[in-house]
Amino acid sequence: GVDFASESNNILSEYELLQGLVHPSIVSVAYLFHSRHDIWLFREWCVDGCLWSYVQKHGEFEEPRALKLIDQMVEGIYFLHRKGIVHQGIEPSNVLLTQHAETLKIAGFSSAVKKSFNVGSATTHLGMPVGLQRRQLRELADESKAWMAPEQIYDGQKSQAVDIWAGGLCAGFMLLGRHPFSSKALTSDEAANGHVLCEAVKSMCRG
């Protein structure tokens, strides 16, 4: 079963972390309820739900809307990295939407860690060979670690580059309506959106 003490510590850590993070693209925390047998973390209500459920219901975003949301996500990730925080769990279920899905909030900080690094250092890590073939990436797209960077899965790295990778996958998910490395063939519309995804990832790398 779940270790209540350990789970409580995780939630308390997330609460303390979120209290120090005030940014339009980061979900805010309201208050914490803690008793002998229960612990509840009350966060900002995002009425449109998470990115995953929204896309499942409505399909992929049109390019202009996607670009606005991607820009907000990039700003949120950059803010975290300036604070020395690696999220480690950026994925569609941890990206929340509100205001008619025009506003994006990064949530799900249970795996976040605080580290010391230079904000611009992620670009140097991105040039390193990862050693994964496209077939392996497609296999990962069907598994629980689908949104994690390869170096995070195989080497346990916790650099800011893992958030940039995950953010890029989420950007692709907005534009394609599916995981970018899934085995489904690209439609003509999806192929046309490829340049948008490339620019989004470049924007993340530039900070």
Side-chain angles (χ1 to χ4, degrees):
V2 177
D3 183 340
F4 179 69
S6 176
E7 184 68 16
S8 295
N9 288 334
N10 289 339
I11 294 175
L12 284 168
S13 296
E14 183 174 358
Y15 174 68
E16 291 171 357
L17 179 67
L18 282 171
Q19 280 190 309
L21 299 177
V22 180
H23 188 275
S25 298
I26 305 296
V27 70
S28 61
V29 61
Y31 59 93
L32 183 77
F33 171 79
H34 195 190
S35 70
R36 287 184 59 190
H37 305 290
D38 293 292
I39 183 166
W40 297 88
L41 183 60
F42 292 85
R43 305 180 186 89
E44 175 183 6
W45 172 245
C46 293
V47 68
D48 296 302
C50 70
L51 176 62
W52 174 267
S53 61
Y54 191 90
V55 169
Q56 293 300 309
K57 183 177 181 179
H58 300 283
E60 69 272 18
F61 287 86
E62 293 183 359
E63 184 177 314
R65 287 186 71 195
L67 285 174
K68 284 180 63 177
L69 293 172
I70 292 167
D71 185 60
Q72 293 174 45
M73 181 173 59
V74 170
E75 290 295 326
I77 292 172
Y78 182 66
F79 170 78
L80 292 176
H81 292 173
R82 285 187 61 192
K83 290 279 191 178
I85 295 168
V86 181
H87 186 286
Q88 291 202 110
I90 293 174
E91 58 183 72
S93 62
N94 284 332
V95 174
L96 306 182
L97 302 172
T98 190
Q99 297 180 346
H100 306 289
E102 297 288 342
T103 299
L104 177 148
K105 307 276 185 176
I106 298 173
F109 284 81
S110 59
S111 300
V113 294
K114 195 152 190 174
K115 296 175 67 69
S116 297
F117 49 67
N118 295 322
V119 175
S121 65
T123 52
T124 60
H125 293 289
L126 292 176
M128 296 172 62
V130 180
L132 288 182
Q133 302 298 318
R134 187 169 181 83
R135 176 184 58 78
Q136 293 172 292
L137 291 170
R138 285 177 173 173
E139 290 172 358
L140 285 174
D142 296 322
E143 297 179 1
S144 60
K145 299 177 180 178
W147 308 95
M148 296 171 65
E151 64 269 29
Q152 188 179 8
I153 296 170
Y154 292 104
D155 297 328
Q157 289 188 28
K158 298 179 180 179
S159 74
Q160 63 206 92
V162 305
D163 289 344
I164 295 172
W165 171 278
L169 292 183
C170 287
F173 183 73
M174 291 182 206
L175 290 161
L176 304 176
R178 59 179 178 81
H179 194 290
F181 292 125
S182 69
S183 57
K184 175 187 170 188
L186 287 175
T187 66
S188 58
D189 287 342
E190 290 172 345
N193 276 337
H195 74 283
V196 182
L197 179 56
C198 288
E199 289 304 314
V201 176
K202 287 178 183 176
S203 176
M204 290 180 188
C205 295
R206 287 192 295 266

